[in-house]
């Protein structure tokens, strides 16, 4: 709430670079919650990150962690969902401000207490929020925070006025009003303070000034609250005049009625703490509408009712509740007029005095609630049109709406705050089971409980049904988990016996509300094998134009049947996926389903092949003919190598699942080509296990096809993957099988590549002399075949082997030859490997400056390519060189960057780098990163 600073015991900690303060500010705003790498990159570089942005971000994180660890170790941690600043939120002035403001809003607070809390909150402001942080994220954030400050200032002024201290607030409120001259609540507070101090002419002059500014700048008149204050000042009054209209009489009767319509809370409610806290904060900061959306069975009603009971005391004038039956199996949604009549009756309005006209009902309803602290829960709404007439018009009320649809118009037009309720976390799901079955029973069978949670897709409705059945049967949880194991029978198992609590039935209410085209797309999505799907893949699956598919996907998102994970990317949980697949098998002919699967696999195979060609343009031609794409697919062609890398980073789990589906459907050419097209990416990113799985599938596919050359390639690359996984015996078997097949086929290039793979195996087995033999054999074969790129690779490998044998001068000569040839060919990845090898040779010759320069050349290339494992490997060696040269701070920085990448990749080499940092820290008496 001022410049970004870290203060320890009153002493500021210097962060240095401006971008470090930006990153820390982003983490502090979400203190205690994970912030994804993508979010950090987007906010730091405002949607236009430079190449290698993630690497730069890791460096920033390392530097911040190092600065913080000196005072509070392990407060900046990495979790699967992102980075977390794991500190008490009261250590951040923003969160302390919000807590104080929320405490001041408590209905049981005495006016003096409220005044003191708000004074403390306002005292935390130190000027312009995020004063030294530039960019659109900071600008957007400042707007929200300034509004919160104005709300707190007005509330403080009101408290002082009630205590008879009007004169004491004039100076501060006048200063704020000068800064925000169009803030009407601030102007009203200033007018009341001036009038209370006997300065009525100044109060009236303030009104006229605001009125003129509103007319000049916005073309509007003052709002009702400011006009009311003006009239009260004119008359020397503070209370509005009494009226004798029928509406006023109804309002008078309502003052005596305090409806309490909340249904019983759900037994055993568990989890959702973040959403509960966010709703609390919204009430405390003056929000008036919350819209909770989510898929069927995700627990929206349970959350709404639980939270409503939790905060009921904040709304002493009553709590209203209605089930709008927006997705009732009968199709009979509650008419807004019906709900209004119920609400008016709850406030004591006789039925004979309730207007027949819907607009008049709504007007009377708003009048009844004006100025009251009332909570309104509108549960299970179908759309915004059903909700809008039921919204109170007073800022003192709070309305909580739940719906399977996202109610986007309510957010856009009415200022509702959206809350998307997702599946439970595993911990929340465990807590739900414990609340229903008892902690001892769940703890006695943790594996079975975990299986039940996974097979219920962490969906609260499914978990509640499973718990109820397990409770009734009293069988071991493992027995019930086995019943849920069959994905085809799972929805039948989760049948509680009536439509309201049957998972399949609850899903069907949303499905039946879809247009026919959206229903067809939903069924097709059940055929998709992966965890999520892009809009273009969905279009190919359904055989639709991309634009049409996007419209239908938006309908499915609005209906809560799928989730949009990111722009143009969609997913649904396993139970909904199973429901969609069941529907497809029931409704769609077999030929249609097979055609859809072929279209989908064609989309992935051809897009992945195009991406691989962009990333690795010098790669040998594919040995197995790529089938032409069928009609009806939408090809997604990446524009450049960076776009190709990004596409594969997102899609590779889907491609692995697609390869398995291809094998299951007998589409072996697709299965083989998917392995081929993923290989460069999986190698560059260090996904050795996925690489082995992909090539195991390709070996089986090639053997079923009877294509010996395709089998040779698959065995060779499976051997390479096993070598990286330290499965040396398996690697040896596959590589020699590949060598035999290439030899039988007379394929010298294939033999050469296999010899290079065998050389790598020998190196990992600590046999550099045998590695040199294989690499020299490969060099001869490449040269004889006129394969210049292979020859360049082999030259570099021979040079590396000489390094391992201690012959560094010979190594320099060979690696320099390789570098020259790679440059002539235009092979940037090969050029990077040659620079890295040259750096290693120079390092061992004691040429530290030359070695560091070579490593930096390699890093420039490899960061541009996106090969993160290679980048980490080179950074580690650069750190070794810098340590040897006595540049300890630079070595620490290089190793810190390498460690961040390896940790992110989950690679075992992280332990080696961490040990280097620890050793350096012990040597220099500095804390390790």
């Amino acid at each position: 709430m001022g410049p970004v600073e870290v203060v320890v015991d009153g002493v500021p900690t210097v962060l240095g670079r401006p971008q470090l303060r930006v990153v820390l500010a982003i983490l502090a705003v979400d203190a205690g919650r994970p912030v994804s790498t993508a979010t950090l990159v987007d906010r730091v570089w405002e949607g236009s990150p430079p190449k290698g942005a993630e690497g730069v971000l890791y460096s920033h994180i390392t530097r911040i962690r190092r600065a913080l660890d000196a005072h509070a170790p392990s407060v900046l941690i990495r979790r699967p969902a992102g980075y977390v600043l794991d500190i008490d939120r009261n250590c951040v002035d923003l969160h302390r401000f919000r807590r104080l403001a929320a405490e001041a809003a408590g209905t049981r607070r005495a006016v003096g207490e409220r005044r003191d809390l708000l004074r403390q909150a306002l005292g935390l402001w130190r000027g312009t929020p995020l004063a030294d942080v530039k960019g659109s994220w900071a600008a957007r954030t400042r707007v929200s925070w300034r509004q919160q400050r104005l709300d707190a200032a007005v509330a403080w002024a009101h408290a002082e006025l009630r205590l008879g201290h009007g004169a004491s607030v004039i100076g501060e409120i006048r200063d704020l009003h000068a800064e925000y001259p169009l803030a009407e609540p601030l102007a009203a507070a200033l007018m009341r303070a001036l009038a209370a101090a006997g300065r009525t002419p100044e109060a009236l002059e303030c009104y006229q000034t605001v009125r003129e500014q509103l007319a000049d700048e916005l073309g509007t008149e003052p709002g009702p609250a400011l006009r009311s204050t003006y009239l009260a000042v004119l008359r020397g009054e503070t209370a509005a005049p009494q009226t004798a209209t029928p509406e006023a009489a109804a309002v008078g009767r309502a003052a005596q009625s305090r409806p309490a319509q909340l249904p019983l809370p759900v037994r055993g409610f568990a989890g959702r703490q973040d959403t509960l806290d966010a709703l609390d904060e919204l009430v405390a900061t003056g929000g008036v509408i919350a819209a909770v959306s989510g898929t069927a069975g995700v627990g929206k009603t349970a959350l709404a009712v639980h939270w409503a009971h939790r905060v009921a005391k904040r709304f002493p004038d009553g709590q209203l509740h209605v089930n709008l039956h927006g997705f009732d199996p009968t199709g009979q949604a509650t008419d807004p007029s019906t709900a209004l009549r119920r609400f008016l009756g709850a406030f004591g309005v006789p039925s004979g005095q309730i207007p027949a006209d819907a607009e008049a009902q709504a007007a009377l309803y708003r009048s009844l609630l004006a100025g009251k602290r009332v909570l309104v829960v509108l549960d299970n709404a179908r759309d915004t049109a059903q909700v809008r007439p039921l919204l109170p018009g007073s800022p003192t009320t709070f309305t909580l709406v739940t719906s399977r649809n996202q109610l986007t118009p309510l957010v856009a037009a009415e200022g509702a705050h959206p809350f998307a309720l997702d599946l439970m976390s595993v911990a929340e799901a465990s807590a739900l089971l414990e609340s229903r079955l008892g902690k001892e029973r769940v703890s006695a069978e943790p594996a079975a409980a975990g299986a039940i949670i996974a097979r219920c897709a962490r969906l609260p409705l499914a978990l509640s049904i499973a718990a109820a059945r397990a409770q009734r049967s009293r069988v071991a949880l493992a027995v019930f988990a086995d019943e849920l194991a069959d994905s085809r029978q799972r929805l039948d198992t989760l049948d509680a016996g009536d439509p309201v609590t049957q998972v399949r039935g609850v899903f069907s209410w949303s499905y039946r509300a879809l247009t026919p085209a959206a229903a067809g797309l939903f069924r097709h999505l059940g055929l998709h094998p992966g965890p999520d799907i892009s809009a273009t893949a969905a279009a190919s699956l359904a055989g639709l134009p991309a634009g049409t598919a996007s419209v239908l996907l938006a309908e499915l998102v609005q209906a809560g049947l799928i989730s949009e994970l990111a722009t143009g990317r969609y997913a649904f949980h396993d139970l909904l996926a199973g429901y969609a697949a069941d529907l497809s098998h029931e409704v769609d002919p077999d030929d249609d389903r097979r055609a859809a699967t072929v279209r989908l696999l064609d989309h992935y195979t051809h897009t992945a092949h195009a991406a691989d060609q962009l990333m690795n343009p010098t790669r040998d031609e594919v040995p197995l003919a790529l089938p032409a794409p069928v009609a009806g697919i939408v090809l997604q062609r990446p524009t450049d190598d960076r776009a190709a890398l990004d596409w594969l980073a997102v899609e590779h789990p889907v491609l692995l699942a697609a390869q398995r589906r291809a094998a299951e459907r007998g589409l072996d050419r697709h299965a083989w080509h998917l392995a081929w097209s993923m290989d460069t990416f999986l190698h560059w990113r260090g996904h050795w296990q996925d690489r082995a799985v992909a090539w195991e599938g390709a070996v089986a596919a090639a053997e079923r096809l009877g294509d010996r050359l395709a089998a040779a390639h698959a065995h060779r690359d499976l051997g390479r993957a096993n070598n990286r996984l330290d499965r040396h015996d398996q690697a040896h078997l596959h590589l020699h099988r590949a060598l035999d097949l290439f030899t039988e086929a007379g394929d010298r290039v294939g033999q050469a590549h296999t010899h290079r793979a065998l050389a790598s195996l020998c190196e990992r087995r600590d046999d550099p002399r045998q590695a040199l033999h294989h690499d020299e054999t490969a060099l001869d074969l490449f040269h004889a075949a006129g394969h210049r790129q292979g020859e360049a690779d082999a030259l570099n490998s021979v040079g590396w082997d000489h390094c391992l044998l201690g012959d560094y001068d010979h190594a320099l000569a060979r690696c320099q030859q390789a570098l020259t040839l790679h440059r002539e060919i235009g092979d940037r990845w090969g050029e990077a490997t040659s620079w890295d090898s040259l750096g290693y040779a120079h390092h061992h010759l004691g040429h530290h400056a030359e070695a560091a320069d070579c490593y930096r050349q390699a890093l420039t290339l490899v960061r541009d390519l996106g090969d993160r494992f290679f980048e980490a490997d080179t950074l580690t060696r650069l750190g070794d060189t810098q340590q040897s040269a006595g540049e300890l701070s630079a070595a620490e920085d290089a190793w810190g960057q390498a460690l961040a990448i390896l940790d992110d990749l989950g690679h075992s080499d992280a332990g080696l780098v961490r040990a280097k940092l620890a050793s350096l820290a012990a040597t220099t008496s500095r804390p390790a990163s």
Side-chain angles (χ1 to χ4, degrees):
M1 308 190 87
V4 179
E5 295 178 343
V6 177
V7 180
V8 182
D9 295 330
V11 180
T13 295
V14 178
L15 287 177
R17 301 177 189 174
Q19 280 192 343
L20 299 184
R21 294 193 291 277
V22 178
V23 174
L24 181 60
I26 295 166
L27 294 169
V29 166
D30 281 304
R33 299 172 185 165
V35 182
S36 69
T37 299
T39 298
L40 285 164
V41 168
D42 182 64
R43 290 179 179 176
V44 172
W45 287 284
E46 300 190 8
S48 301
K51 289 185 177 180
E54 289 189 2
V56 178
L57 177 64
Y58 300 139
S59 177
H60 292 343
I61 292 287
T62 300
R63 290 176 181 273
I64 294 170
R65 183 184 288 126
R66 193 179 301 138
L68 297 179
D69 281 356
H71 308 287
S74 303
V75 297
L76 179 49
I77 58 178
R78 177 65 188 258
R79 289 183 180 160
Y83 291 98
V84 181
L85 189 61
D86 191 17
I87 60 173
D88 181 352
R89 288 162 73 89
N90 278 321
C91 292
V92 180
D93 52 8
L94 168 68
H95 299 300
R96 181 169 170 78
F97 169 85
R98 288 175 172 170
R99 180 182 64 77
L100 290 167
E103 288 180 7
T107 56
R108 294 189 175 183
R109 292 281 182 189
V111 177
E113 288 182 287
R114 191 175 302 136
R115 184 268 317 273
D116 293 343
L117 289 166
L118 290 166
R119 167 46 64 199
Q120 288 181 57
L122 292 168
L124 294 170
W125 285 76
R126 296 178 289 113
T128 302
L130 303 174
D132 49 355
V133 177
K134 298 179 180 179
S136 58
W137 170 76
R140 291 193 307 271
T141 302
R142 287 188 196 102
V143 171
S144 170
W145 295 0
R146 283 167 172 159
Q147 184 58 54
Q148 292 173 36
R149 180 193 185 191
L150 292 181
D151 292 343
V154 170
W156 167 73
H158 288 171
E160 292 282 21
L161 284 164
R162 287 187 61 187
L163 292 168
H165 304 155
S168 65
V169 306
I170 291 174
E172 189 158 342
I173 294 298
R174 193 191 292 276
D175 290 344
L176 264 179
H177 179 54
E179 192 175 348
Y180 303 100
L182 301 183
E184 293 185 45
L186 205 59
L190 178 57
M191 288 172 63
R192 290 190 187 99
L194 289 166
R199 297 159 63 175
T200 300
E202 290 180 63
L204 298 175
E205 182 183 353
C206 175
Y207 176 80
Q208 293 299 338
T209 301
V210 173
R211 184 181 182 187
E212 291 170 6
Q213 288 179 303
L214 287 169
D216 291 344
E217 297 185 31
L218 303 179
T220 63
E221 285 290 315
L226 189 58
R227 289 200 305 271
S228 176
T229 302
Y230 172 66
L231 292 173
V233 171
L234 277 175
R235 292 191 294 264
E237 301 171 348
T238 57
Q242 295 296 319
T243 61
T245 63
E247 182 177 292
V251 170
R253 281 191 299 273
Q256 307 304 315
S257 301
R258 290 181 174 81
Q261 296 185 331
L262 298 177
L264 285 172
V266 175
R267 183 177 68 84
F269 181 87
R272 308 302 195 191
Q273 195 58 51
D274 286 350
T275 306
L276 294 170
D277 290 345
L279 286 167
D280 286 345
E281 187 171 342
L282 181 59
V283 172
T285 55
V288 293
I289 307 173
V292 177
S293 62
T295 191
V298 80
K300 300 178 294 296
T301 296
L303 169 80
V305 174
H306 177 83
W307 180 78
H309 277 283
R310 180 168 119 160
V311 299
K313 291 182 179 179
R314 294 191 191 182
F315 300 95
D317 297 320
Q319 306 91 43
L320 299 172
H321 175 276
V322 64
N323 183 352
L324 295 172
H325 295 288
F327 296 87
D328 194 276
T330 65
Q332 298 296 315
T334 301
D335 184 76
S337 182
T338 301
L340 280 170
R341 293 182 70 86
R342 293 175 187 170
F343 285 170
L344 292 171
F347 274 107
V349 180
S351 59
Q353 294 185 18
I354 296 177
D357 179 69
E359 288 190 15
Q361 291 173 359
L364 177 56
Y365 167 68
R366 289 192 292 271
S367 296
L368 288 176
L369 269 62
K372 291 184 177 298
R373 295 287 294 170
V374 175
L375 174 64
V376 182
V377 180
L378 307 176
D379 192 25
N380 197 18
R382 186 179 187 87
D383 52 33
T384 300
Q386 190 186 22
V387 169
R388 191 168 277 129
L390 304 176
L391 298 176
S394 172
T396 59
T397 62
F398 188 87
T399 304
L400 176 60
V401 187
T402 74
S403 178
R404 297 185 191 183
N405 288 331
Q406 291 186 341
L407 303 182
T408 304
L410 193 69
V411 176
E414 309 296 340
H417 293 256
F419 292 86
L421 204 60
D422 205 347
L423 301 173
M424 284 185 148
S425 67
V426 173
E428 290 174 327
S430 297
L432 189 152
L433 285 184
E434 289 175 359
S435 70
R436 301 297 182 91
L437 299 174
K439 189 168 185 177
E440 290 184 3
R441 189 175 178 193
V442 174
S443 300
E445 296 185 76
I452 291 171
I453 289 168
R455 290 163 189 170
C456 288
R458 294 179 281 120
L459 187 72
L461 173 62
L463 285 163
S464 298
I465 294 171
R469 289 198 56 190
Q471 193 172 29
R472 286 198 307 269
S473 64
R474 302 303 299 176
V475 299
L477 294 184
V479 173
F480 189 66
D482 288 343
E483 289 183 38
L484 292 169
D486 187 346
S487 60
R488 297 177 184 175
Q489 301 299 319
R490 194 172 295 159
L491 290 174
D492 294 329
T493 304
L494 295 171
D495 183 348
D498 85 84
V500 177
T501 54
Q502 181 191 50
V503 173
R504 190 191 303 276
V506 170
F507 290 164
S508 71
W509 309 341
S510 294
Y511 173 72
R512 279 182 234 158
L514 297 172
T515 61
L521 177 57
F522 178 72
R523 294 194 304 273
H524 274 106
L525 291 174
L527 304 175
H528 187 261
D532 50 20
I533 189 169
S534 67
T536 51
S540 297
L541 176 64
L544 295 170
T548 303
S550 293
V551 171
L552 298 178
L553 287 164
E555 181 179 342
L556 294 176
V557 170
Q558 284 291 328
L561 286 170
I562 62 173
S563 301
E564 188 169 14
L565 305 178
T567 303
R569 192 151 202 93
Y570 306 87
F572 49 10
H573 59 72
D574 289 349
L575 293 178
L576 270 170
Y579 175 64
D582 287 351
L583 284 173
S584 185
H585 281 82
E586 291 170 11
V587 176
D588 302 320
D590 289 348
D591 288 348
D592 286 356
R593 285 187 282 109
R594 180 172 177 82
T597 299
V598 171
R599 285 195 302 269
L600 180 74
L601 292 174
D602 266 4
H603 166 83
Y604 284 132
T605 303
H606 283 271
T607 307
H609 191 266
D612 181 73
Q613 285 184 315
L614 285 167
M615 288 174 60
N616 194 357
T618 60
R619 190 178 183 186
D620 291 344
E621 290 186 10
V622 63
L624 185 68
L626 184 67
V630 298
I633 73 167
V634 179
L635 288 180
Q636 185 176 347
R637 297 193 178 278
T639 54
D640 55 29
D641 58 340
R642 176 57 60 176
L645 181 64
D646 291 343
W647 184 85
L648 283 161
V650 171
E651 296 286 4
H652 96 267
V654 179
L655 297 178
L656 289 165
Q659 187 197 33
R660 292 193 294 272
R661 181 60 53 86
E664 293 166 2
R665 299 293 184 268
L667 299 166
D668 288 319
R669 284 184 177 271
H670 290 88
W672 193 95
H673 275 284
L674 284 167
W676 174 272
S677 300
M678 283 188 282
D679 190 65
T680 300
F681 169 80
L682 295 175
H683 175 56
W684 285 10
R685 287 300 172 100
H687 296 311
W688 316 126
Q689 183 60 47
D690 287 347
R691 193 182 186 202
V693 168
W695 282 112
E696 283 170 359
V699 166
E703 289 174 350
R704 287 192 295 269
L705 288 167
D707 190 312
R708 295 174 70 79
L709 195 55
H713 281 272
H715 277 292
R716 182 192 67 208
D717 288 317
L718 179 55
R720 285 172 166 165
N722 278 312
N723 184 31
R724 283 288 188 176
L725 291 167
D726 291 330
R727 300 170 183 167
H728 297 151
D729 291 343
Q730 293 180 50
H732 183 271
L733 288 172
H734 286 292
L735 290 173
H736 279 280
R737 176 60 178 154
L739 192 58
D740 290 343
L741 290 169
F742 281 126
T743 302
E744 289 173 14
D747 185 337
R748 286 187 292 184
V749 172
Q751 293 173 57
H753 281 302
T754 308
H755 276 292
R756 286 196 64 234
L758 284 165
S760 178
L761 174 61
C762 291
E763 178 194 332
R764 292 179 75 86
R765 282 179 156 176
D766 201 23
D767 189 355
R769 196 160 297 284
Q770 187 64 20
L772 178 60
H773 165 72
H774 282 294
D775 278 327
E776 287 179 333
T777 302
L779 180 60
D780 292 341
L781 286 165
F782 280 130
H783 184 74
H787 194 290
R788 298 182 74 219
Q789 196 250 338
E791 190 174 350
D793 287 337
L795 279 166
N796 183 59
S797 294
V798 167
W800 180 260
D801 295 333
H802 281 296
C803 280
L804 298 180
L805 290 166
D807 186 357
Y808 301 112
D809 289 324
H810 202 165
L812 285 175
R814 285 299 200 179
C815 293
Q816 187 61 54
Q817 287 179 278
L819 178 63
T820 301
L821 191 49
H822 279 304
R823 282 175 162 174
E824 290 174 5
I825 297 166
D827 180 1
R828 291 185 299 155
W829 191 84
E831 186 181 343
T833 63
S834 298
W835 278 118
D836 183 77
S837 299
L838 286 165
Y840 190 79
H842 278 300
H843 170 84
H844 283 85
L845 287 168
H847 307 157
H848 297 138
E850 293 87 342
D853 185 59
C854 290
Y855 287 137
R856 292 190 186 98
Q857 295 278 8
L859 285 169
T860 298
L861 288 162
V862 82
R863 283 171 175 158
D864 187 51
L865 290 165
D867 187 338
R868 298 188 65 212
F869 180 76
F870 190 172
E871 180 184 355
D873 214 22
T874 302
L875 280 166
T876 303
R877 283 195 276 274
L878 173 61
D880 294 343
T881 294
Q882 289 167 330
Q883 182 191 37
S884 297
E887 300 169 3
L888 301 187
S889 180
E892 183 181 20
D893 189 51
W895 287 338
Q897 291 182 57
L899 180 59
I901 295 172
L902 293 169
D903 277 341
D904 196 52
L905 294 176
H907 200 279
S908 60
D909 283 3
L912 299 175
V913 180
R914 193 171 278 107
K916 289 176 183 286
L917 284 164
S919 176
L920 180 63
T923 303
T924 58
S925 300
R926 295 157 67 180
S929 298

